[in-house]
Amino acid sequence: MKKHALPVLLAALIPAAAFAHTPLCSCYDLGDGEVLCEGGFSDGSSAAGVEMSVVDGAGNTVLTGKMDEAGEYTFQKPEGDYKVQFNAGPGHLIEIPGSDIVE
């Protein structure tokens, strides 16, 4: 009876894995003082409405906003160290250091 438990468990989990999606986010320095972030999910679903934050080097949130209908978020690049957070909920947080955001 136990040797049938594993295939049954795997069969139950495979559909859940097939519908899982991974958050994706990239940010670019536009060279004019603005930063553009583009986001979405690996299954092609939109990131519209996903919370975005810009956090300074001391850990203070200096900007907040949401991805627009096109899955984009644009902000004025802050002075000094910062990071961008794409927060789509538990297990779906992406942090991008400002030093990785280039033209």
Side-chain angles (χ1 to χ4, degrees):
M1 192 72 159
K2 285 186 177 183
K3 68 181 181 181
H4 296 292
L6 182 59
V8 170
L9 177 63
L10 289 175
L13 294 176
I14 287 173
F19 292 112
H21 59 241
T22 302
L24 306 168
C25 185
S26 296
C27 297
Y28 310 94
D29 185 334
L30 298 178
D32 62 356
E34 287 189 319
V35 174
L36 167 67
C37 297
E38 299 173 330
F41 295 92
S42 60
D43 65 357
S45 60
S46 172
V50 169
E51 291 182 25
M52 299 293 294
S53 299
V54 178
V55 178
D56 69 14
N60 301 309
T61 300
V62 294
L63 294 169
T64 59
K66 294 187 178 196
M67 287 280 182
D68 66 14
E69 292 299 318
E72 296 180 348
Y73 177 68
T74 304
F75 61 94
Q76 288 293 315
K77 183 178 173 180
E79 295 290 327
D81 292 337
Y82 70 98
K83 64 183 172 185
V84 177
Q85 295 178 331
F86 173 98
N87 188 356
H92 291 86
L93 175 66
I94 296 175
E95 292 187 337
I96 303 170
S99 59
D100 289 350
I101 300 172
V102 295
E103 290 182 47

